[in-house]
């Protein structure tokens, strides 16, 4: 059945018999057919109509789709030359169908045969670029579109783009095809008019194709590596040695080849029997005989040839970079050569591309192979007389062997432009003929014959083809040409046939000088050059495996691509295009992450952040704008998902992301969990960074709002009614979008970030703290909270970032001049970090050390955040007390407890600025007056503060109370207001390593400011937690514990009443000072100001409860005092066992370092004495309950069994340091309301004194200073007799005194064998003293003692000297020239000699040393009996004070002066004195 197609062509069935095989045509037949089809496409052939050309192109398309043409040289030759030439010519026709068909054929050619068509491909792409960039108005838009489509299609061919880069961009003498095309496409993706057309999208498509393929390769590599890991694991498990074929292994390809040959095998054998009946079979038969040869050929072919410029077949990126650098220099050198040859050569020599001095061969080679050089300049340069040798080398680069002289000349003259001067031409031709003659075996008789023939050829060329010549003369014939050359060949003729051939060759084809060509001639010339280059090694085209140089390609394309993507994303409204752009961004991100290109990723994130509109919109409009802008939401989701996925390589971009987060925070779009942070004080444990406005705040401006309402027009009013439903919907959409973005993941996942990225993130958070103009505390607090959460998430490697965080917190806390929300958050943050990080051995010491930042804060700022610190420290100690080992760290924590709980000033050495003006400058006036009235005038050296701390970390354990040197830093006034007037250091005292504490006072003399009640309660709780758990009391913190308890005792005295009296002035000031804040930008000022006023007033809620003392306070403070008493008692009773167990442990460990002694002396100085002083101080409390309880505890403590081991010196210091100061203090009118209670307290105190005295009389007798001690006790008895208003003391004192006198008499203390009367001097002095206040007592007790008999003396009494001292003057006042004095304050006039003990108006300056005189307690008696002065001073005379200046020891027996200087025992033996101290006291 015949078939007729639509054109009417009939197809008849094959006439072949059944069973006969189809025999293919041979190659010659195919070649002829192919040549014919190609000839149909020649646009310059007049016979070819459009239809014929179109048909030819379509048939060629079929042929190329069906057949493998490349292996056949005869067919390949046609393709390289005619086919490509015709196709490129067809690209410039304006008939779309031919244009489209030729583009299709080109695609097929370059898809399959580009390795043979290197320069053809370059030319094709340049043609397409010309079409795309054409400004010609007649050029149809469709042609541009098709050209772009053609590029996109080519770009999709696997590895073609990489090959372009390797073969052109990395070739010295080709254009930068890939780079230029990328730039062009990027530029072309930007619409000029602002409207997107197909061409723009196609350009973007081409750019994205590169990105897509690169991304696919990256993904494959990732999958491969994981797959290989899996396989290696399974192999290990199975133990089988299976071979895994690598992805590029040739097994599949081999398999295919084998199967085809297997099919062909039997057929071919069957055929060979018959005689060959066709060209195909004939060729096959012939091929058998050539098999051996084929094999050797194929072996040569298999080794792929590599270009000379590469060291290996696939050079590495570094090598390519070098090549590109060299190429750039070459292009510059070429440009310079084309202007001035000498300059160009010199430039290349300077850059090492040509050797210096000039190597002629090298330069000649360069002149030959560089197609960019100007032919005219080459001609001038090589023909120069100076370069004769260069000309020889230049001519030697041509291969003239086997060429006829005119062919050789043609080749020669195409390499440069022949200059016009005759001598130059002669020189060039002579060199040429010499060379040609030599290499061709001297075919002529002489060299001159060759020269003449060459000249004749040039003349012939001019005669035949020059228009000017042709106008005047008729062109010469072949006969004339032969005639002209008669007898030139050394008298003979040249070969006539040769001359004829030369004539015809020149006549038919002009030897053209490159510079002069135009039109078709030029085109033909260019084409021949192209073919010629393709045949040289330059024409080698490398095939590379896909994905080989993705790294290099991406680094070239990312900039243009991201720019184009951003532009298209910005301009397009079409959803699919937006999604495409986002997909492009994601892929770029994935690639940059794979190759670790941080700059690319940063750039991408920064671009996307702009599209989120988060940073550009104002806060008020942000929710509505962002919620209503779909594109912005898409961008936001992209930013966050990319940051989650590839945060590792994010650097600069963190700043933009954090800025966006900050905007979301301001606009209240963040999830609740992100704005809620931990807090110590809030009962819920959480606090929101975003403060709600409270109704009370709104109420303040009710009048204003009413006025506003009156003045507003109706339209504006409606806008104020509240957000419209649209706005609310938009806000909901925004919130939902941000929820999907999951910004919190950035914090929680930060633990997986690379360290460098983490550091950049933290830097961004620190730097985001806004600038001064727009400074907003909430923003800064939000960033700080994020920073802290990140640190906690990264606790496993916190040591790497700790310094950064610490410096930031230091800046926030230490630099703060007034308390604010940010400071509060920074303080809480520091403590939170400590709580979380202390379990980590590697960092714990640094973290604890950083708590010192709190002590470095300005005291008034610290006091405002005291409650947060108190609660935080409590938490810290509860969770981590076991992780604190170093005494320095304990010192820091206890100092903090003291500063926070009791309002002690922080150690001066830690304060950033110790200069008084700065230190007080930040405080308000009311605070100053309430802190230390005397400090304003005095230059306060700070050295005598409770701790003098050396910052080099070498600080000793501050020993709270020891028998140490009390430098001339002054005595303490023991009294109600001692905290305000004491602690004034001697001006030049140097800081010592141990703290300076007056041990003869019950107080530590700390410079105390205000304290917050709740803080104190919490601090006491923390302290009791440590004390009550034996595991937490260590040698490192024991003495600190004791000292801190005593500080709290001082703070809680009288229920902390002192602080409350002053709170009023402090409170009003605090409110005003806290609200001074810079307003933020106009937006949200009102909201923030209101919110801040509410937030900031949180600092001390009990200030606001009530102007006086809050009712709840009394019960609470009572509890605090009782807790402290209990703590002191617990420590006191457990001290001995604790110390002995430590001593035991140390013996086992034989540890080096400070030895722990468990003897009574150590226990007394570091534990018992300070604790007893603390209990004694609470015995002076104004509240009866506390006083009585304290006395009971003191009595118990003094009579406890452990204390019985103390020796005489310690018992003496017990009187001087505990009991005497206590009795002195009790003489004050401590509790005016409770007169009866005070009487009872005084009575119990006196009874306790006599009990202790009698219980330890024996050891006390051994003291050289016993007399002084006894007289002091008598003084107190005197004072107490007159202290009360009731009879209670009048009855009790004489009883106690009788008791003591009788016991002492029985012990024989008053007896002396040496004396005249049999009684010692002590007896005399005793009665002299007692007679002042109980004149009749002697008669009552010792009636018989008027004329006593001699009695043997008690041996212990021996060291009392009989020598009386000179009569003393009135007590020295502050003006005493011999007393170590200090700057005098106008507020402190010298006291009158007989100041009453209770009269406190003018305290005596501490450092003076008055000489005591007994004075009667009765204030009405102004005349003290001075006559008895020498007697009383007798036992204190000089022999007991050898080596010590007599004036500097305050030994006081005068009750009137006893408060000014607490009694001090005399030195039993002299000790060396310190040059800085006035004297030393043991």
């Amino acid at each position: 059945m015949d078939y007729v197609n639509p054109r009417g062509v009939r197809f008849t069935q094959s006439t072949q018999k059944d069973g006969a095989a189809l025999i293919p045509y041979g190659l010659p037949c195919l070649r002829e057919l192919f040549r014919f089809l190609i000839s149909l496409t020649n646009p310059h052939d007049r016979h070819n109509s459009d239809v014929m050309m179109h048909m030819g192109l379509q048939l060629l398309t079929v042929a190329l789709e069906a057949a493998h043409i490349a292996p056949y040289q005869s067919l390949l030759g046609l393709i390289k030359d005619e086919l490509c030439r015709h196709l490129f010519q067809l690209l410039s026709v304006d008939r779309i169908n031919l244009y489209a068909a030729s583009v299709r054929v080109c695609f097929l050619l370059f898809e399959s045969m580009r390795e043979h068509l290197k320069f053809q491909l370059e030319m094709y792409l340049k043609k397409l670029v010309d079409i795309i960039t054409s400004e010609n108005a007649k050029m149809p838009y469709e042609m541009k579109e098709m050209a772009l489509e053609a590029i996109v299609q080519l770009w999709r061919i696997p590895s073609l783009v990489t090959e372009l880069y390797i073969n052109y961009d990395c070739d010295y003498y080709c254009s930068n095809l890939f780079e230029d095309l990328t730039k062009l496409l990027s530029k072309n993706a930007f619409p000029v008019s602002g409207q997107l057309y197909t061409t723009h999208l196609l350009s973007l498509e081409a750019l994205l194709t590169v990105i897509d393929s690169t991304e696919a390769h990256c993904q494959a590599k990732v999958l491969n590596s994981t797959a290989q890991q899996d396989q290696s694991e399974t192999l290990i498990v199975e133990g089988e040695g299976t071979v895994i074929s690598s992805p590029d292994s040739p097994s599949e390809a081999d398999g295919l080849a084998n199967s085809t040959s297997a099919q062909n095998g039997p057929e071919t054998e069957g055929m060979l029997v018959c005689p060959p009946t066709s060209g195909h079979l004939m060729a096959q038969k012939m091929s058998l005989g050539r098999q051996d040869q084929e094999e050797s050929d194929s072996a040569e072919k298999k080794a792929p040839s590599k270009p000379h410029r590469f060291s290996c077949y696939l050079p590495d990126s570094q090598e390519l970079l070098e090549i590109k650098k060299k190429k750039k220099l070459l292009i510059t050198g070429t440009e310079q050569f084309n202007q001035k040859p000498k300059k160009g050569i010199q430039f290349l020599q300077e850059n090492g591309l040509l050797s210096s001095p000039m190597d002629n061969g090298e330069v000649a080679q360069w002149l030959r192979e560089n197609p960019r050089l100007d032919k005219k300049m080459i001609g001038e340069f090589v023909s120069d007389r100076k370069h004769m040798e260069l000309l020889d080398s230049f001519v030697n680069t041509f291969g003239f062997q086997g060429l006829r002289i005119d062919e050789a000349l043609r080749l020669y003259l195409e390499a440069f432009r022949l200059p016009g001067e005759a001598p130059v031409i002669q020189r060039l031709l002579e060199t040429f003929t010499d060379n040609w003659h030599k290499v061709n075996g001297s075919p002529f008789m002489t060299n001159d014959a060759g020269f003449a023939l060459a000249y004749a050829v040039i003349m012939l060329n001019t005669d035949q083809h020059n228009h000017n010549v042709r106008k005047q003369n008729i062109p010469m014939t072949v006969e004339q040409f032969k005639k002209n050359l008669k007898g030139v060949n050394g008298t003979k003729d040249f070969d006539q046939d040769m001359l004829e051939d030369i004539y015809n060759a020149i006549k038919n084809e002009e030897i053209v000088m490159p510079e002069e060509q135009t039109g078709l001639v030029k085109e033909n010339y260019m084409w021949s050059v192209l073919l010629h280059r393709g045949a040289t090694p330059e024409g080698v085209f490398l095939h590379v495996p896909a994905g080989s140089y993705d790294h290099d390609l991406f680094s070239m394309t990312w900039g243009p691509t991201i720019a184009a993507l951003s532009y298209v994303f910005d301009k397009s409204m079409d959803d699919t295009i937006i999604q495409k752009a986002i997909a492009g961004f994601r892929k770029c991100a994935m690639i940059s992450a794979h190759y670790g290109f941080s700059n690319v990723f940063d750039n991408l994130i920064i671009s996307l952040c702009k599209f989120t509109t988060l940073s550009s919109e104002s806060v008020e409009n942000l929710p509505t704008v962002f919620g209503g802008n779909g594109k912005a939401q898409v961008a936001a989701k992209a930013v966050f998902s990319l940051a989650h996925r590839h945060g590792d390589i994010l650097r600069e971009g963190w700043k933009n992301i954090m800025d966006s987060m900050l905007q979301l925070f301001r606009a209240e779009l963040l999830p609740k969990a992100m704005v809620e942070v931990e807090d110590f004080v809030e009962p819920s444990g959480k606090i929101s960074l975003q403060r709600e406005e409270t109704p009370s705040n709104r109420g303040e401006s009710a009048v204003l709002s009413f006025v506003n309402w009156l003045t507003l027009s109706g339209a504006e009013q409606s806008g104020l009614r509240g957000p419209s439903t649209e706005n609310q919907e938009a806000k909901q959409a925004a919130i939902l979008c941000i929820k999907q973005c999951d910004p919190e993941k950035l914090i929680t996942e930060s633990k997986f970030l690379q360290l460098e990225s983490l550091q950049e993130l933290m830097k961004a958070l620190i730097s985001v703290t806004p600038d001064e103009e727009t400074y907003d505390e909430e923003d800064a607090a939000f960033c700080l909270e994020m920073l802290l959460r990140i640190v906690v998430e990264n606790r496993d490697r916190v040591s790497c970032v700790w310094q950064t965080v610490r410096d930031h917190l230091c800046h926030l806390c230490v630099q703060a001049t007034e308390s604010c929300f940010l400071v509060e958050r920074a303080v809480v943050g520091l403590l939170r970090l400590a709580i979380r990080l202390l379990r980590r051995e590697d960092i714990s010491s640094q973290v604890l050390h950083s708590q010192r930042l709190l002590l470095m804060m300005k005291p008034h700022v610290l006091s405002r955040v005291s409650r947060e610190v108190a609660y935080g420290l409590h938490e810290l100690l509860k969770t981590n007390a076991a992780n604190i080992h170093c005494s320095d760290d304990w010192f820091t924590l206890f100092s903090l407890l003291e500063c926070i709980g009791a309002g002690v000033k922080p150690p001066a050495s830690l304060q950033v600025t110790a200069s008084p003006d700065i230190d007080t400058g930040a405080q308000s006036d009311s605070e100053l007056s309430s802190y230390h009235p005397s400090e304003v005038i005095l230059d306060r050296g700070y050295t005598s503060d409770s701790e003098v701390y050396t910052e080099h970390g070498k600080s000793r354990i501050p020993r709270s109370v020891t028998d140490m040197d009390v430098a001339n830093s002054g005595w303490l006034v023991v009294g109600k207001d001692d905290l305000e007037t004491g602690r004034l250091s001697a001006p030049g005292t140097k800081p010592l390593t141990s703290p300076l504490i007056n041990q003869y006072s019950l107080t530590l003399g700390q410079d105390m400011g205000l304290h917050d009640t709740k803080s104190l309660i919490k601090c006491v709780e923390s302290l009791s937690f440590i004390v009550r758990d034996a595991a937490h009391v260590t040698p490192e913190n024991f003495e600190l514990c004791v000292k801190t308890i005593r500080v709290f005792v001082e703070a809680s005295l009288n229920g902390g009443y002192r602080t409350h009296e002053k709170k009023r002035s402090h409170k009003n000031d605090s409110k005003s000072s806290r609200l001074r804040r810079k307003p933020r930008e106009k937006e949200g000022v009102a909201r923030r100001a209101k919110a801040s006023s509410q937030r900031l007033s949180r600092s001390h809620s009990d200030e606001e409860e009530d102007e006086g003392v809050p009712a709840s306070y009394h019960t609470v403070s009572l509890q605090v005092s009782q807790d402290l008493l209990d703590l002191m008692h617990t420590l006191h009773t457990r001290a001995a066992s604790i110390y002995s167990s430590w001593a035991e442990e140390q013996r086992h460990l034989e540890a080096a370092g400070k030895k722990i002694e468990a003897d009574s002396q150590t226990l007394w100085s570091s534990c018992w004495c300070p604790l007893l002083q603390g209990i004694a101080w609470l015995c002076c409390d104004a509240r009866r309950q506390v006083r009585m309880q304290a006395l009971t505890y003191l009595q118990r403590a003094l009579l406890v069994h452990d204390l019985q081991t103390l020796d005489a010196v310690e018992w003496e210091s017990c009187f001087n340091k505990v009991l005497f100061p206590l009795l002195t203090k009790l003489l004050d009118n401590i509790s005016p309301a409770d007169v009866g209670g005070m009487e009872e307290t005084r009575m119990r105190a006196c009874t306790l004194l006599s009990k202790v005295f009698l219980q330890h009389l024996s050891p006390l007798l051994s003291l050289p200073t016993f007399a002084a001690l006894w007289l002091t006790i008598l003084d107190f008895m005197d004072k107490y007799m007159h202290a009360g208003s009731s009879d209670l003391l009048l009855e009790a004192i004489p009883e106690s005194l009788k008791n003591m006198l009788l016991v002492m008499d029985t012990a024989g203390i008053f007896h002396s064998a040496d004396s005249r009367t049999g009684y010692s001097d002590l007896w005399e002095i005793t009665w002299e003293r007692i007679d002042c206040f109980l004149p009749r007592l002697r008669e009552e007790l010792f009636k018989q003692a008027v004329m006593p008999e001699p009695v043997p003396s008690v041996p212990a009494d021996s060291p009392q000297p009989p020598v009386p001292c000179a009569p003393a003057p009135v007590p020295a006042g502050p003006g005493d020239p011999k007393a170590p004095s200090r700057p005098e304050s106008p507020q402190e006039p010298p006291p009158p000699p007989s100041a009453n003990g209770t009269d406190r108006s003018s305290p005596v300056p501490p450092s003076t040393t008055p000489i005591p005189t007994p004075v009667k307690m009765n204030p009405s008696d102004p005349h003290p009996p001075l006559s008895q002065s020498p007697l009383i001073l007798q036992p204190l005379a000089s022999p007991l004070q050898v080596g010590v200046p007599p004036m500097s020891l305050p030994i006081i027996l005068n009750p009137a002066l006893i408060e000014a200087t607490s009694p001090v025992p005399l030195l039993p033996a002299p000790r060396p004195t310190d040059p800085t101290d006035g004297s030393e006291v043991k």
Side-chain angles (χ1 to χ4, degrees), residues 588-626:
C588 287
M590 193 267 161
I591 300 164
S592 50
H594 186 269
Y595 288 118
F597 286 153
S598 295
N599 55 334
V600 181
F601 195 58
D602 287 337
N603 202 298
L604 199 147
I605 290 289
I606 292 165
S607 300
L608 276 172
C609 280
K610 284 183 195 138
F611 296 127
T612 60
T613 68
L614 290 177
S615 40
S616 51
E617 246 350 289
S618 68
V619 174
E620 286 86 359
N621 306 337
L622 188 65
T624 37
V625 173
F626 180 74

Side-chain angles (χ1 to χ4, degrees), residues 773-822:
E773 291 146 32
T774 64
Y775 182 79
D776 187 280
E777 203 177 76
E778 278 184 47
D779 296 352
F782 173 67
C783 293
L784 175 69
E785 287 301 334
M786 296 226 287
L787 182 70
L788 297 175
R789 289 178 63 182
I790 286 168
V791 175
V792 173
E793 288 291 345
N794 287 277
R795 46 188 177 276
D796 296 336
R797 49 172 174 177
V798 74
S799 47
C800 315
V801 292
W802 180 253
Q803 198 52 41
T804 319
V805 180
R806 186 199 163 283
D807 292 347
H808 183 48
L809 287 169
C810 175
H811 175 73
L812 293 179
C813 299
V814 180
Q815 307 295 328
T817 51
E818 51 183 33
S819 173
C820 60
F821 182 53
L822 180 60

Side-chain angles (χ1 to χ4, degrees), residues 58 82 153 158 262 321 358 456 695 707 749 783 944 1020 1026 1040 1081 1128 1155 1165 1187 1249 1263 1299 1329 1385 1471:
Q58 285 190 314
E82 285 100 329
Q153 277 203 310
L321 225 75
M358 195 166 86
V707 174
E749 303 286 291
C783 293
S944 62
V1020 172
I1026 293 176
L1040 292 165
E1081 295 164 299
M1128 289 191 281
K1155 191 146 170 46
S1165 59
R1187 224 170 35 237
L1249 176 71
L1263 287 171
N1299 210 353
R1329 185 70 192 87
S1385 151
R1471 273 177 60 188

Side-chain angles (χ1 to χ4, degrees), residues 1024-1033 1134:
S1024 69
F1025 168 75
I1026 293 176
V1027 172
R1028 294 195 193 288
D1029 186 339
H1032 296 327
V1033 179
R1134 281 174 32 203

